[in-house]
Amino acid sequence: MRLKFIVPTLVMACAFFACNNDDDDSSAGVELRDLSEVTAENVEELQLYLQTHFYNYEDFQNPPADFDYRIVFDTIAGSNADKTPLIQQVTDTTIEVQDVSQKMYYLVARGDVHNSSLKPKLGNQVVIKYEASDLGEAPSDISNTEYVVSNISTNLIEGFKLFTTKLPIGTGYVENEDGTLTWNQDYGIGVAFMTSGLAYYGSANYSPFVFKMDMLQFNDLDEDIVYISSSQTASSPDGIPSHLEDVDGDGDPRNDDTDEDGIPNYLDADDDGDGVLTLYEYDYDGDGVVDDSDGDGVPDYLDPDSRIQTN
């Protein structure tokens, strides 16, 4: 069962936890520190934290009857001296920002519990619960609704977007008589630790950042727009879900711009720039097969030499 609506409180929910900031905030009069210097400091902080802290993995392995499935961190010391450190349980990945390699360490505390590895892709709309904070601090932002909906077009920080692709979804929910939802307890749960370059470096917050996340569900989106004038646009879905407009297959549809007009395909109603909307070139004959009228191996909607354009 998929949610078929968008939570109207999204913009307010994003006000702190994931609203992106430009890497260059000079317009606000902020002189940013050198990104490579900040990143080196962040990596050192993150590694020290991960080496000296653990999470309640034993509860996740053998959940008590009253377990709330919350990730809790503690220091490896005293009676906890024998706990497995986070550094031995996380997976790390590297993302380039301004030609500086940024680190994200992530942990899946509860993964595939219903024999499905279905995870969101960049371009999907995700339904989550979350907590967010600077490294080592109490959560500074917690989802204040039962769920939060977002997508890659929303102004979200890069680390948050990428982490959403790491957790599997659950099998759905039960709608209660009062209109609330009770989610089946089989969705993915995890946490990501990231450098400031993947979070709030652009607003001169140089602290590493932490996201705890419950991945409840995702939906397909079709986000294309048509430009009416320099100041006016209109929604113009082209029939291709945003996550499928990843032409080069690298998992990120944001860097695919077939007609090189500065608008990525997932937001562009005319992907090949031939004046014919993608909607009318993708499957013009309605047979369920993507059209390639001239047989050159390039689909019509990505090929300015299409049958619709030339006839």
Side-chain angles (χ1 to χ4, degrees):
M1 181 161 44
R2 294 290 181 90
L3 286 176
K4 294 183 174 63
F5 49 86
I6 296 179
V7 178
T9 55
L10 169 63
V11 175
M12 291 302 295
C14 288
F16 173 78
F17 90 98
C19 293
N20 199 5
N21 296 282
D22 292 337
D23 291 330
D24 181 4
D25 200 22
S26 57
S27 61
V30 177
E31 184 176 349
L32 297 177
R33 290 180 54 197
D34 180 74
L35 179 57
S36 58
E37 179 182 287
V38 171
T39 301
E41 292 174 0
N42 284 179
V43 170
E44 186 175 343
E45 291 177 79
L46 286 168
Q47 291 184 345
L48 178 60
Y49 186 89
L50 296 173
Q51 290 165 358
T52 57
H53 289 75
F54 72 101
Y55 84 103
N56 53 331
Y57 56 87
E58 292 168 321
D59 288 336
F60 278 91
Q61 292 169 355
N62 297 289
D66 60 348
F67 187 41
D68 61 2
Y69 291 94
R70 297 294 90 198
I71 294 174
V72 178
F73 304 125
D74 202 349
T75 305
I76 297 177
S79 61
N80 294 323
D82 63 343
K83 301 300 184 183
T84 303
L86 286 161
I87 194 69
Q88 295 182 22
Q89 298 176 306
V90 296
T91 299
D92 67 277
T93 187
T94 301
I95 303 99
E96 295 295 315
V97 174
Q98 295 185 27
D99 297 323
V100 178
S101 296
Q102 302 296 316
K103 296 290 289 187
M104 182 172 76
Y105 303 86
Y106 66 93
L107 165 75
V108 178
R110 184 171 73 184
D112 179 14
V113 298
H114 52 90
N115 298 318
S116 172
S117 57
L118 195 59
K119 302 175 184 178
K121 296 180 180 180
L122 290 177
N124 285 134
Q125 177 190 69
V126 295
V127 184
I128 65 168
K129 297 178 183 177
Y130 72 89
E131 292 182 6
S133 66
D134 288 341
L135 183 67
E137 301 293 333
S140 48
D141 193 43
I142 302 174
S143 53
N144 54 10
T145 59
E146 188 170 18
Y147 41 82
V148 175
V149 182
S150 62
N151 55 70
I152 64 171
S153 296
T154 309
N155 197 25
L156 306 177
I157 67 171
E158 187 69 8
F160 170 83
K161 295 176 185 177
L162 295 174
F163 184 44
T164 63
T165 67
K166 306 301 182 183
L167 298 173
I169 62 171
T171 55
Y173 58 87
V174 174
E175 186 169 357
N176 304 311
E177 292 184 358
D178 61 0
T180 61
L181 306 180
T182 299
W183 293 87
N184 300 335
Q185 285 290 342
D186 56 6
Y187 49 79
I189 298 173
V191 59
F193 308 83
M194 63 194 69
T195 53
S196 174
L198 295 174
Y200 295 104
Y201 167 79
S203 60
N205 180 343
Y206 305 126
S207 173
F209 210 70
V210 181
F211 278 113
K212 297 179 185 177
M213 187 179 297
D214 294 353
M215 179 53 65
L216 305 176
Q217 183 180 290
F218 69 82
N219 300 305
D220 288 344
L221 285 179
D222 190 352
E223 304 173 81
D224 300 84
I225 56 178
V226 62
Y227 283 78
I228 299 171
S229 68
S230 59
S231 60
Q232 186 178 8
T233 62
S235 176
S236 182
D238 62 8
I240 310 173
S242 294
H243 73 280
L244 294 181
E245 301 213 53
D246 176 26
V247 179
D248 59 11
D250 68 350
D252 191 346
R254 296 171 298 176
N255 58 19
D256 296 277
D257 180 11
T258 299
D259 57 8
E260 299 181 350
D261 63 353
I263 305 170
N265 289 2
Y266 82 96
L267 291 177
D268 193 344
D270 180 9
D271 291 342
D272 56 9
D274 62 0
V276 180
L277 296 182
T278 296
L279 176 65
Y280 303 114
E281 292 191 291
Y282 184 66
D283 181 17
Y284 184 72
D285 54 17
D287 64 355
V289 178
V290 179
D291 293 343
D292 177 14
S293 300
D294 55 13
D296 64 355
V298 181
D300 289 350
Y301 78 100
L302 298 177
D303 186 353
D305 277 338
S306 70
R307 168 176 50 79
I308 301 172
Q309 174 72 5
T310 56
N311 286 356

